[in-house]
Amino acid sequence: MQALFSNFLKQLQPFIPEERIITDPLRTLAYGTDASFYRLIPQIVIRANSESEIIRIIQLAQQEKVAITFRAAGTSLSGQAITDSVLIQLGDGWDSYRISPDAGRITLQPGVVGAQANRFLAPYKRKIGPDPASINTAKIGGIAANNASGMCCGTAQNSYRTLLNMRLVLADGTLVDTSDPESIRAFRNSHQGLLDALRALSAQVNANPTLKQRIEHKYRLKNTTGYALNSLVDYEDPIDILQHLMIGSEGTLGFISEITYQTVEEHEHKASALIFFNTVRAACEAVALLKHAPVAAVEMIDRAGLRSVERKPGMPELIRELPDDAAALLVETRASDSTTLNHQIQQIIETLRDTHTCQPIEFTTDAAQSALYWSVRKGLFPAVGAVRLTGTTVIIEDVAFPVERLADAVADLHQLFQRWHYDEAIIFGHALEGNLHFVFTQSFDTDDEIKRYEGLMDDVADLVVNRYDGSLKAEHGTGRNMAPYVELEWGQDAYLLMWELKALLDPSDILNPGVILNRDPHIHLQNLKPLPPANPLIDKCIECGFCEPVCPSRALTLTPRQRIVIWREIARLEQSGEDPTRLQKLRQDYRFQGDATCAACGLCSTACPVGINTGDLTREIRRDENLKHAGKAEWVARHFSATTQASRIAFGLANTTHKLIGTSAMTRVTGFARRLSGNRLQQWTPALPAPARRIKPTRAGFTSAPKVVYLPSCASRTMGPAAGDTDQTSLADKTEALLRKAGFDVIYPDNLSSLCCGMPFQSKGFFDAASLKAEELNKALLQATQGGDIPVYSDTSPCSLRMKEGIDERIQLYDSVEFIARFVLDKLDITPLQKPVALHITCSTTRMGLADSLTRIASACCNELVIPPDITCCGFAGDKGFSVPELNTSALRNLKSRVEHCTQGVSTSRTCEIGLSHHSGISYQSVVYLLDSCSKARPVSLATNTTHPLD
């Protein structure tokens, strides 16, 4: 076996760079993990960046008879994106898109995230049809390969129904573009036998009334079990049959390198209602009535599901008083104008007039309230995951029943849960399509628990297939989990037909073998993922991968999910005592892969369904490893003024040397010194700032102007503008000028040079030193604000976030963005710049919920605002841009191409702006510079009478 992979690897190396071929134990485990409850560790992981690379890899795999599996985002739940052979990840280079002039079509590469495709289409009031709950993370390749649907798309707007064309690579490495007549002509010449075989299978199905009726009957519901046999009935042209077979094939028949969707309308006007019923049956009867009403979505939640979210802020008090058999329907209706929307609302209410609801039906058009309802619905799966016992996994199953029999089906499912003692299970789903999800927790650490799971799944299969003739998989894909039940659901004739298709398109069985079709009746009980207790900070992680698109190290080392996977494996090996050599190697490699390259920015918590901040784990690990240096950290904290002065001197020396010897020589000299030191010396870049001018603090004046305490961060007190910045004014001077322009009397805290929020210490795990500085700062601010009577303006977003997490409740602390948006903007006359400006929204700004406010400020200052869609945290992470510059480089690897037409960039963190300037080729400075440059004080008579924050 090893010889097989060794030969494959040897032939791979001439055309795939070494850094994109992964074979080490840490990363093969990390990259091989998906959202399912299965684990297989690949022998080799390849990051492929182009279609030509995919073709050569497939050809090599065919030659060597090596199995390969394709991976997009890895959010799949049924084990279809894992392998113990070769895993092919989508690297950079798969994010292109094209929109037709009328926006009726969008062509997407498989690496585009679904939500991003919708953002591309938003200006045209269009969207793609599929809308899975994972759309913020799931990529188009996975959405198409799994025929993912979602809450609103049903069957009419899924990938199968909205597919127009695709580029696909078959198991022999042949590329065919179904939108290109020349490509089709060439394919017909080279693969006429394959096309004839598909045509013959279609004719065979259509000549078999029983089989044809079975296929048509199966697709009256949402159904992703097995292959898309409906393609043999719906289409005559074998090219159409072929491309529709790819939808839902889970990478077992070919690779989709590009897909063109017919887009669907995205209505601006929406209304939502959460409707409560005393019984599940009453709710299901209402669903049947709503089938013919103007509804876009109808989501059902059973009593157990409601109980899991009833104490969520904003939820109606009524929920806590509902009876045990109660249920709710979340109903949404959409229209192109408000008049039509109101008419539809009245139609829906009239449709349900004779049903008994727990309270009158009330629709809301308030976007925030609707978002709350939908966040509750989307949070049901993680709500169970968050309260499960440590060591158990959370499983979500996905079935469909005829809508008219939905009430009976729900009752029968509840009985199965009772029989097998799954008391915590909840049921919810897309009721309008009869599509139900049920979620439960499961331990796989004993034979009895595995048998209990097997018993439940056997009974579920019997119930869905034999009693209701429903779908065992409605939208989550067959994978390994449902492969043993495909024949039960489809019958022998259809099942054998699926095997024929697999043999026809992948005769060597190299494409994701064992997925969808598997002759092992117990494959769903094998290779179960261990979830040992590792740390209370991360034990609730369900490994869904929702965190990955926002992580700055995702293309360099590990994502938050992958860090947790490795830390769990380290914990498992420590607890079991097995394989100490492997444990030592994982720990050693984790220092760089998991710790050094973690920005600890916390953006992962904003995307995580259970709110895990993997940065907290990183800081805890750093604390344990840095204990021997804790005393030094406290000394630095107590002598902080001298520390910042030393930093200012170092910036001055670097700046002077740069001026003397020039950029090229400075780059060579500092690069050589860094390499000579084993990368212990900090990285120099041309964007390195000059030392900041010393601040001369002022005390409160005796004017009637409103006062504000200005707290410049230690970074903005230390770092001035870079040599290439157009405006050489220090941030403190610029901020003070802007605040005075807006009519504020600016004062500074005493002992300013000694003050720090503690973030530099906290990020390295020096928690005691961080607390010391936070306490000092609290005392200084209480004194400066006269016990909290004067608001505080913080000029650096990461510091603002740190302070907000532990500030004295008497202190009214505002981040610069928050203060400007609320109390400054309306006091200025702004003349927007007639040029594009690039905006970087820092991770801390996002975490504080101020991204929209920052965007509003910047938009007011220019005629075109550019926010690169794939740039999240910049990865500079305080000083990591100096100590681990590859993190910053990787996080911003696409920045330059996104902002190359801009001449100016803005953000809200001085350290972030260093990396942004270096990697973009344009100067980034605080948004304060932009606002000051295009504004003047508004005459008092015209100024908005904005209430002072503490009036």
Side-chain angles (χ1 to χ4, degrees), residues 50-340:
S50 67
E51 187 179 72
S52 61
E53 288 182 352
I54 288 288
I55 291 171
R56 293 188 67 178
I57 292 168
I58 291 176
Q59 289 172 337
L60 179 59
Q62 187 69 251
Q63 173 187 312
E64 299 297 321
K65 298 298 180 282
V66 169
I68 54 177
T69 294
F70 306 110
R71 164 79 65 82
T75 58
S76 51
L77 297 163
S78 301
Q80 56 266 61
I82 60 173
T83 181
D84 56 3
S85 184
V86 174
L87 183 70
I88 302 172
Q89 289 183 325
L90 296 180
D92 287 338
W94 295 99
D95 58 357
S96 295
Y97 72 98
R98 301 188 304 277
I99 298 175
S100 65
D102 65 353
R105 301 183 307 279
I106 185 169
T107 301
L108 298 157
Q109 286 193 310
V112 177
V113 173
Q116 187 58 57
N118 284 339
R119 284 192 282 272
F120 295 146
L121 289 166
Y124 307 95
K125 298 180 183 179
R126 308 290 292 182
K127 64 177 182 176
I128 60 172
D131 62 339
S134 59
I135 196 167
N136 289 329
T137 304
K139 296 179 179 178
I140 292 300
I143 290 173
N146 288 283
N147 197 20
S149 48
M151 287 176 253
C152 298
C153 88
T155 55
Q157 296 179 349
N158 62 17
S159 290
Y160 182 91
R161 295 297 179 194
T162 57
L163 166 68
L164 292 176
N165 299 109
M166 70 168 60
R167 288 173 69 92
L168 60 103
V169 183
L170 295 179
D172 62 358
T174 299
L175 170 69
V176 58
D177 182 349
T178 67
S179 69
D180 180 2
E182 181 57 31
S183 177
I184 292 175
R185 185 196 64 76
F187 186 67
R188 290 188 191 279
N189 287 337
S190 63
H191 287 71
Q192 191 60 52
L194 169 63
L195 296 176
D196 288 344
L198 288 175
R199 186 181 285 108
L201 288 176
S202 175
Q204 175 186 323
V205 168
N206 283 283
N208 185 336
T210 302
L211 181 56
K212 181 180 179 182
Q213 289 171 10
R214 180 64 181 158
I215 293 171
E216 292 173 338
H217 176 74
K218 289 299 297 177
Y219 287 103
R220 81 200 189 286
L221 300 177
K222 290 174 75 172
N223 186 355
T224 58
T225 308
Y227 289 125
L229 295 185
N230 48 340
S231 61
L232 297 170
V233 174
D234 295 340
Y235 300 97
E236 295 180 0
D237 188 330
I239 296 291
D240 280 329
I241 294 172
L242 176 62
Q243 69 172 358
H244 283 86
L245 276 172
M246 293 295 153
I247 302 297
S249 65
E250 300 174 22
T252 65
L253 301 180
F255 174 81
I256 301 171
S257 62
E258 185 179 88
I259 186 168
T260 300
Y261 281 122
Q262 176 183 331
T263 63
V264 301
E265 189 171 5
E266 172 68 310
H267 292 301
E268 282 186 272
H269 298 270
K270 303 175 185 179
S272 301
L274 196 56
I275 308 171
F276 300 98
F277 301 84
N278 283 325
T279 66
V280 171
R281 184 166 296 278
C284 292
E285 289 170 352
V287 172
L289 295 173
L290 290 170
K291 189 74 174 173
H292 305 290
V295 292
V298 178
E299 296 290 302
M300 189 187 78
I301 309 171
D302 75 350
R303 184 65 186 95
L306 291 171
R307 194 173 289 116
S308 71
V309 296
E310 63 186 15
R311 298 190 181 277
K312 187 178 178 70
M315 294 304 293
E317 292 285 335
L318 168 72
I319 299 182
R320 304 177 193 178
E321 303 168 4
L322 293 173
D324 288 344
D325 191 37
L329 296 180
L330 174 52
V331 179
E332 182 163 289
T333 183
R334 302 175 178 181
S336 56
D337 59 79
S338 58
T339 301
T340 303

Side-chain angles (χ1 to χ4, degrees), residues 872-892:
T872 55
C873 170
C874 70
F876 206 91
D879 64 350
K880 281 199 177 294
F882 301 130
S883 60
V884 191
E886 53 264 56
L887 174 60
N888 185 228
T889 300
S890 178
L892 299 182

Side-chain angles (χ1 to χ4, degrees), residues 2 25 57 127 164 207 295 324 361 564 582 604 729 825 895:
Q2 290 304 317
I57 292 168
K127 64 177 182 176
L164 292 176
V295 292
D324 288 344
I361 300 172
I564 291 172
R582 175 177 165 81
C604 47
T729 310
L825 208 58
L895 178 62

Side-chain angles (χ1 to χ4, degrees), residues 672-895:
F672 176 76
R674 177 171 166 77
R675 289 191 297 274
L676 195 65
S677 71
N679 291 337
R680 291 181 179 86
L681 289 180
Q682 305 281 283
Q683 174 75 51
W684 178 87
T685 78
L688 197 73
R693 185 191 69 83
R694 281 185 174 276
I695 297 171
K696 297 179 180 179
T698 58
R699 293 187 176 274
F702 295 98
T703 69
S704 61
K707 297 176 176 57
V708 60
V709 172
Y710 172 30
L711 177 65
S713 70
C714 51
S716 56
R717 298 196 307 266
T718 305
M719 303 178 186
D725 291 341
T726 303
D727 194 329
Q728 289 293 306
T729 310
S730 71
L731 176 59
D733 286 347
K734 184 64 66 174
T735 299
E736 182 175 338
L738 179 68
L739 291 173
R740 293 191 185 281
K741 184 192 296 186
F744 287 92
D745 187 8
V746 180
I747 57 178
Y748 293 87
D750 289 339
N751 301 316
L752 182 60
S753 63
S754 297
L755 298 182
C756 172
C757 67
M759 177 174 285
F761 302 97
Q762 183 200 37
S763 65
K764 293 175 175 58
F766 297 123
F767 296 157
D768 290 342
S771 296
L772 173 66
K773 297 311 293 180
E775 290 170 9
E776 285 181 1
L777 183 60
N778 263 330
K779 290 176 182 177
L781 290 179
L782 279 172
Q783 181 180 357
T785 62
Q786 299 174 14
D789 287 344
I790 304 172
V792 177
Y793 175 105
S794 168
D795 69 1
T796 301
S797 293
C799 301
S800 303
L801 175 62
R802 158 71 180 166
M803 287 187 284
K804 283 176 178 286
E805 292 172 345
I807 197 78
D808 188 294
E809 61 183 14
R810 289 170 290 178
I811 298 172
Q812 300 267 344
L813 176 73
Y814 293 90
D815 178 64
S816 59
V817 172
E818 188 177 14
F819 194 90
I820 290 170
R822 293 181 62 178
F823 308 118
V824 173
L825 208 58
D826 290 339
K827 293 183 172 67
L828 303 173
D829 277 334
I830 300 173
T831 304
L833 302 180
Q834 298 303 303
K835 62 179 182 179
V837 172
L839 171 63
H840 176 73
I841 301 172
T842 66
C843 44
S844 46
T845 302
T846 298
R847 291 181 61 194
M848 289 186 289
L850 297 175
D852 288 344
S853 295
L854 176 57
T855 302
R856 181 163 67 90
I857 294 168
S859 295
C861 298
C862 62
N863 69 335
E864 181 186 349
L865 189 65
V866 178
I867 307 176
D870 52 348
I871 307 296
T872 55
C873 170
C874 70
F876 206 91
D879 64 350
K880 281 199 177 294
F882 301 130
S883 60
V884 191
E886 53 264 56
L887 174 60
N888 185 228
T889 300
S890 178
L892 299 182
R893 65 195 183 281
N894 297 323
L895 178 62

Side-chain angles (χ1 to χ4, degrees), residues 221 284 287-288 291 401-407 431-435:
L221 300 177
C284 292
V287 172
K291 189 74 174 173
F401 301 100
V403 174
E404 63 275 11
R405 302 187 66 188
L406 200 58
L432 205 63
E433 303 295 332
N435 177 195

Side-chain angles (χ1 to χ4, degrees), residues 521-579:
H522 299 109
I523 189 64
H524 62 311
L525 306 175
Q526 298 172 21
N527 303 302
L528 300 169
K529 181 190 291 182
L531 289 173
N535 187 301
L537 292 171
I538 60 168
D539 283 340
K540 297 304 180 186
C541 175
I542 54 180
E543 298 185 8
C544 62
F546 286 12
C547 56
E548 294 190 338
V550 300
C551 180
S553 61
R554 63 188 181 274
L556 176 65
T557 52
L558 303 182
T559 65
R561 165 168 65 175
Q562 292 162 355
R563 287 184 171 88
I564 291 172
V565 167
I566 299 304
W567 202 248
R568 280 174 165 165
E569 180 67 0
I570 288 172
R572 186 186 71 81
L573 292 173
E574 287 178 337
Q575 293 159 20
S576 67
E578 66 178 87
D579 205 344

